[in-house]
């Protein structure tokens, strides 16, 4: 019995888009993460990728498929990588790149593309909002404040930590502490005096 390969193509051909991006911090590094929506048949899920991951996939595919007209937004050497207009342009370029990947079976069936889009992961039985909730519930690291000790926020911090003798803010150590404790800020009460 002969199978209808057109049906196979339609069932396994993913639909992809990058609806948004978010800025993240890990240790002291800032980076942008692009939220990729992948749909195959009735299954949908999100994949979160950095520019470097798109760039690695692009370079792998360019070597193996040199005749394909694949392109990716160029790396930015100078300027602010977190400028909203730059991120918007980059997101549009990355979106175009992944749209091109799913146009050709030889590309979207490539093992690196399937891994990039997490197409072989068994958890894709739900809608994207459930996947996002599941992802956030598994989140661990400096941005994870689910198990935050509330007593920590009630501890007193000496006013002298943030003020010099001329009452100006000591910026270097305060900024460093602010980066170390994501989601935490300290503002001394105005009635305290420098000791």
């Amino acid at each position: 019995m002969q199978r209808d390969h057109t049906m196979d193509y339609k069932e396994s051909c993913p639909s992809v888009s990058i609806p948004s991006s978010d800025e993240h911090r890990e240790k002291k590094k800032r980076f942008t993460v692009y939220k990729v929506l992948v749909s195959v048949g009735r299954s949908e899920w999100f994949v979160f990728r950095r520019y470097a991951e798109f760039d690695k996939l692009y370079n792998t595919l360019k070597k193996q498929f040199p005749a394909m007209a694949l392109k990716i937004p160029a790396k930015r050497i100078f300027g602010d990588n977190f400028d909203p207009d730059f991120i918007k342009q980059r997101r549009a370029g990355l979106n175009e790149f992944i749209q091109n990947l799913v146009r050709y079976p030889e590309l979207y069936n490539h093992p690196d593309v399937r891994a990039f889009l997490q197409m072989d992961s068994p958890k894709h039985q739900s809608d994207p909002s459930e996947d996002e909730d599941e992802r956030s519930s598994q989140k661990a690291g400096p941005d994870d404040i689910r198990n935050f000790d509330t007593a920590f926020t009630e501890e007193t911090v000496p006013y002298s930590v943030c003020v010099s003798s001329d009452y100006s803010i000591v910026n270097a150590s305060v900024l460093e502490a602010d980066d170390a404790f994501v989601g935490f800020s300290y503002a001394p009460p105005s009635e305290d005096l420098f000791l």
Side-chain angles (χ1 to χ4, degrees):
M1 187 169 165
Q2 190 175 13
R3 292 185 62 168
D4 182 0
H5 293 290
T6 316
M7 190 64 170
D8 288 347
Y9 172 81
K10 287 294 179 197
E11 284 179 357
S12 62
C13 177
S15 168
V16 293
S17 65
I18 304 176
S20 64
S21 61
D22 292 307
E23 183 180 318
H24 287 260
R25 285 179 187 252
E26 197 170 281
K27 297 184 181 169
K28 292 192 178 197
K29 290 191 173 194
R30 274 172 61 186
F31 54 90
T32 302
V33 174
Y34 297 90
K35 184 177 183 178
V36 181
L37 173 62
V38 184
S39 304
V40 179
R42 287 190 245 164
S43 296
E44 290 186 321
W45 62 93
F46 287 118
V47 179
F48 298 84
R49 298 288 183 211
R50 294 175 63 172
Y51 174 83
E53 293 172 287
F54 283 92
D55 188 53
K56 181 180 176 185
L57 178 63
Y58 165 77
N59 286 314
T60 298
L61 296 174
K62 197 69 183 156
K63 287 177 187 166
Q64 293 182 23
F65 301 96
M68 291 280 189
L70 296 174
K71 63 180 182 174
I72 193 170
K75 289 185 180 183
R76 188 172 194 175
I77 298 175
F78 299 106
D80 181 8
N81 280 352
F82 302 99
D83 174 62
D85 289 335
F86 171 75
I87 290 173
K88 185 179 176 182
Q89 274 188 321
R90 180 176 267 184
R91 184 168 57 90
L94 295 173
N95 190 61
E96 185 178 323
F97 169 67
I98 62 169
Q99 293 290 330
N100 282 328
L101 294 183
V102 299
R103 285 194 180 103
Y104 306 101
E106 62 266 41
L107 290 178
Y108 71 72
N109 283 318
H110 187 280
D112 290 349
V113 174
R114 294 185 71 81
F116 182 86
L117 297 175
Q118 296 181 352
M119 291 175 62
D120 298 320
S121 176
K123 76 171 200 164
H124 305 311
Q125 311 297 328
S126 59
D127 68 75
S129 61
E130 289 172 353
D131 283 344
E132 187 172 30
D133 290 344
E134 184 178 313
R135 179 180 168 82
S136 64
S137 71
Q138 294 173 350
K139 184 168 103 174
D143 294 338
D144 181 8
I145 60 171
R146 286 175 291 137
N147 299 313
F148 195 77
D149 182 2
T150 55
F152 176 73
T153 62
E154 296 168 5
E155 289 181 23
T156 58
V157 178
Y159 183 58
S160 60
V161 168
C162 294
V163 179
S164 66
S165 59
D166 64 353
Y167 299 104
S168 64
I169 292 180
V170 180
N171 59 4
S173 62
V174 172
L175 290 174
E176 187 175 316
D178 184 48
D179 285 344
F181 299 101
V182 177
F184 178 78
S185 61
Y186 170 71
S190 60
E191 66 269 10
D192 283 350
L193 296 175
F194 181 79
L195 300 174

